[in-house]
Amino acid sequence: MPSYKLTYFNGRGTAEIVRLVFAAAGTEYEDVRLEQDQWPELKPNTPMGQLPILEMDGTMLCQSNSIARYIAKLAGLAGKTPLDQARVDMVMDGMVDMGNKFAYEIYYEKDEDKKAEKKKDYVEKYVPQFFSSLNKLASDGGYFAGDELTLADIAFYNMTTMVNPYLEQPLSLDGFPKLQKVEDNVTSNPGIAKWLKERPETPY
Amino acid sequence: EKMPAYKVYYFNARGRAEPTRLLLAAAGVPFEDVRFEVEKWPEYKPKMPMGQAPVLEVDGTMICQSAAMARFVARETGRAGKTNLELAKADMIVDGVADLMNAMANYHYYEPDEARKAEKKKTFFETTLPQFLGHFEKLLVANNGGDGFFAGDGLTHAETFFLCLYESISKENPNVLNAFPKLTALVERIRTYPGIKEWLAKRPQTEF
């Protein structure tokens, strides 16, 4: 088996989806966390001047979702049929959109009044609408594709828990019973449960 | 084996649907190219998995999210690389292109202040874009010298996304690839690819 080295800063950020997939897959990897002053030297040697990167057998991959999909695929966590794989991909991309919307419209908004207004809109209108769509896509057993855990379920858990600390209260799954099941399936996965207990506590 | 029935739903534009249309064209796969006027969108929206377009319908199943759609067609038509690693290399280009297209959408559609819009556009074309094109050129060259494709030895969704990016950025600045000879040659290679060449000639001509 190749040796995997994941490099990111000391935070969950965009690397955490990859770490969660490694945990669910039970695959060993080196979890490298750079200090900010170590980054300038590495940056020009990365495929797109960004982190995270994954190194294995002399190859470097970038872009967190592409890395996550690659590792998930090898571990059988990316959907069994072509349509399941497409379902996994579309849910993961939808979660990225949800995170980006939060970042661009709220996190980076400097005007406090606009920020508060956007946050209200996000929590009261956008997320419930989006969760309603996701709830329809999830199975009764709490899986977005097939009948077992995939990268899509992990992505749902990862992004909602990423956004929650920045809100007054965690996003509610009331009215979305299948999404609650998705979350439970993710947190009760043995590899993920272990990682959630052991992972470093970081500000982001 | 019966070919599935494909439908692509989108506005009358290239936009986020075109990378998938290009792949269907490259594979010679017929598809229903559904384009609705903006006023008609409220009728379609509730039927879409995430209330958004574009959507790919395959024998009645709906797939949304432009990269997911394109990757599905790429895989089904044998244009997704031959190995998991080749697919990952194609995917990372698609992600990079998507980041750039999002940055363009951010200043174009979502920045209401004209002064900030102009500033963001300037930063995009003078800094962000050249930096990424430099990365793409380097990655292309790293794949067997750069006279082929981004991943493996064939066209993938990486190429169709890249062509769509090129079509948007070159409208603003026709010289945008002057410093990147391998990317310049790649654009021509994509444009003349069998199936794509014919599609480019016959597709509806739209501003976006």
Side-chain angles (χ1 to χ4, degrees), chain A residues 119-132:
Chain A
K119 220 189 234 191
K120 189 172 192 283
D121 209 68
Y122 189 85
V123 170
E124 292 178 13
K125 286 219 309 254
Y126 167 77
V127 168
Q129 240 169 46
F130 180 55
F131 279 9
S132 171

Side-chain angles (χ1 to χ4, degrees), chain A residues 48 66 69 73 89 97, chain B residues 65 71 84 91-92 95:
Chain A
M48 292 183 199
S66 293
R69 188 179 303 107
K73 191 104 196 286
D89 288 345
D97 281 355
Chain B
Q65 294 288 351
R71 190 176 301 104
N84 285 329
D91 284 343
M92 72 189 210
D95 284 352

